[in-house]
Amino acid sequence: MIDWKLTSQFPSDYPITQSLNYPIRARVTALFALFIVAWLWLDARAQTNAPIVSGAHRFEKVAEGIYYATASGTMTVGANSPIILTDTEAMVIDSEITPAAARALIADLKAVTDKPIRYVVDSHYHYDHAFGNQVFGPEVQVIGHENTRKRLLGNTMEQYTYLSSIEPVPARVEALRKRIADEKDPQQKALLERQVTNSLAYLEQVKEIKVTPPGVTLDRKMTLFRGGREIQILYFGRGHTDTDVVVYLPKERIVCTGDLMESVVSYMGDSFPEDWIATLDRLKALDFDTVMPGHGVVFHGKGKIEAFQKYLRDVITQTAALRKQGLSAEQAAQKIDVTAYREELPSIRGVGIDAAAVRRIYQLADHPE
Ligand SMILES: [Zn+2]
């Protein structure tokens, strides 16, 4: 009965609704179309969120107010520097390889923000991350692990890791010049010429380095609550060095890992490989999705970290076996095969690893630290 009444009402209502609804429908359709266009436009903008190239740097937007600074190719800058903006100021992670690179970073950053840099975090003590510290004035707090301070007060400029960035340069320039002479492709030639220019300029730029330690140190954890952001600086133990801190944004689920975790194979010359694996377990226990590493590219998830842990385990095992056979570190380095990890760690090109990694494992076996 009720059903019939309802259905019977429809025919009489229909023309009225139709005539009344027509302009509304058109308006709804137009609004919907507008919404789709706006959405497509925003999406296209997000897709083509092209990095901003400014001077010696390229700034990739990772999240709102968070950028990843990498080299644009006009200068040797060393590490990649994550940039975190708050409402009123900027934090830079790693001051890069030379005072000149740090000055360029300060100038280039103006293309992204006019907020002043108030904090610099040294992810660790290595030259390519911390030798720009000296250019920051008293208005900037340079923060690092207490071991970073200790190491930077020591003789880092006389150690292999830094010297290995200087000593091979003349031979490399020589080799580049030979390639330039033979190169037919003008684009390739220009690229090689720029490498020569950058390398020679680097040898000049290092002359003004005055190694400057962080003025604020931490042991395990420091948290900054600045302009709407919570920024945690965390030390999880020895790994790439005994100075590695990560900068963690819990709300944004972003972590800046320095060289503790890169998107490529990390240098092992000052590392503690056994500890490193356990330290990465503690890193993985954080809740994050985005990793901004000290070298390579921004990546997501924890799969790459697991792969690198397996890589470290494998390097340790293969090194121990070759050492037992009486091979020198250099001989062992040529034989170590980590090509199985090529997919996750694309800097692996073939059999063999950096001899500095094997020398370090030999050294720790003879003189545990
Ligand atoms: Zn490093």
Side-chain angles (χ1 to χ4, degrees):
M1 189 72 167
I2 294 160
D3 275 347
W4 178 86
K5 251 187 154 176
L6 275 173
T7 32
S8 76
Q9 276 170 359
F10 262 109
S12 58
D13 281 353
Y14 190 71
I16 304 162
T17 354
Q18 178 85 328
S19 64
L20 273 178
N21 268 358
Y22 190 73
I24 296 169
R25 259 192 217 169
R27 262 179 274 165
V28 167
T29 309
L31 207 69
F32 184 69
L34 201 72
F35 168 77
I36 291 288
V37 167
W39 181 75
L40 285 173
W41 178 73
L42 281 172
D43 190 56
R45 250 172 57 116
Q47 298 292 321
T48 56
N49 208 340
I52 299 163
V53 177
S54 167
H57 294 88
R58 176 180 283 130
F59 297 91
E60 174 191 342
K61 187 173 177 181
V62 173
E64 209 44 55
I66 297 175
Y67 294 86
Y68 191 55
T70 58
S72 71
T74 62
M75 186 195 259
T76 302
V77 303
N80 296 342
S81 296
I83 311 287
I84 299 168
L85 305 180
T86 71
D87 289 346
T88 53
E89 61 212 355
M91 171 186 273
V92 168
I93 295 148
D94 289 336
S95 63
E96 303 190 340
I97 198 165
T98 54
R103 278 194 294 268
L105 181 61
I106 295 168
D108 299 344
L109 189 59
K110 294 201 165 73
V112 172
T113 183
D114 52 8
K115 291 170 183 168
I117 298 169
R118 290 283 182 250
Y119 298 98
V120 170
V121 177
D122 290 340
S123 68
H124 62 296
Y125 79 98
H126 276 158
Y127 69 98
D128 52 330
H129 298 256
F131 279 10
N133 281 359
Q134 75 197 60
V135 310
F136 294 94
E139 74 287 0
V140 180
Q141 305 223 302
V142 180
I143 306 168
H145 192 263
E146 51 191 44
N147 291 341
T148 295
R149 183 170 170 88
K150 261 183 230 162
R151 296 233 175 234
L152 290 180
L153 288 171
N155 65 342
T156 45
M157 288 193 86
E158 285 143 48
Q159 291 169 9
Y160 170 80
T161 297
Y162 168 70
L163 293 176
S164 69
S165 83
I166 302 290
E167 285 168 352
V169 171
R172 202 180 303 141
V173 165
E174 200 55 37
L176 281 167
R177 281 186 171 144
K178 281 197 183 109
R179 280 176 62 195
I180 290 166
D182 296 336
E183 185 58 59
K184 299 280 179 285
D185 177 16
Q187 225 174 338
Q188 196 60 27
K189 207 181 185 99
L191 195 77
L192 295 169
E193 271 161 1
R194 205 167 63 175
Q195 285 176 24
V196 168
T197 310
N198 289 354
S199 299
L200 293 175
Y202 175 63
L203 290 185
E204 287 305 308
Q205 287 152 355
V206 298
K207 289 178 182 166
E208 63 163 325
I209 293 168
K210 290 187 182 72
V211 178
T212 306
V216 179
T217 64
L218 69 141
D219 174 18
R220 294 272 152 191
K221 182 176 182 180
M222 174 188 285
T223 310
L224 290 128
F225 296 91
R226 304 291 304 175
R229 284 205 206 273
E230 177 179 347
I231 305 169
Q232 298 182 7
I233 306 170
L234 304 163
Y235 177 75
F236 288 130
R238 305 193 300 189
H240 170 67
T241 65
D242 59 0
T243 69
D244 309 290
V245 293
V246 303
V247 177
Y248 175 49
L249 304 173
K251 204 168 71 196
E252 296 81 354
R253 301 182 68 235
I254 293 174
V255 66
C256 310
T257 50
D259 294 357
L260 186 66
M261 184 62 217
E262 300 177 11
S263 70
V264 289
V265 167
S266 188
Y267 174 70
M268 290 177 71
D270 298 311
S271 70
F272 298 86
E274 280 289 349
D275 299 32
W276 202 342
I277 296 167
T279 300
L280 289 173
D281 272 335
R282 291 189 279 275
L283 171 67
K284 280 195 301 188
L286 288 181
D287 176 32
F288 62 84
D289 173 58
T290 304
V291 180
M292 299 169 77
H295 299 279
V297 295
V298 172
F299 64 92
H300 299 275
K302 296 174 181 177
K304 199 183 278 292
I305 305 178
E306 259 152 47
F308 186 57
Q309 286 178 301
K310 287 193 185 124
Y311 167 94
L312 287 170
R313 171 62 58 216
D314 206 346
V315 167
I316 294 167
T317 309
Q318 290 189 50
T319 302
L322 293 165
R323 187 169 182 263
K324 227 176 200 172
Q325 291 172 27
L327 270 71
S328 73
E330 283 69 22
Q331 289 167 332
Q334 286 177 19
K335 284 188 185 286
I336 292 170
D337 184 354
V338 287
T339 50
Y341 309 95
R342 210 183 224 160
E343 200 137 302
E344 283 287 7
L345 305 164
S347 55
I348 299 168
R349 300 243 158 73
V351 176
I353 65 167
D354 179 14
V358 183
R359 278 200 298 273
R360 178 63 179 165
I361 297 172
Y362 275 36
Q363 181 201 343
L364 288 173
D366 290 332
H367 309 283
E369 284 180 35

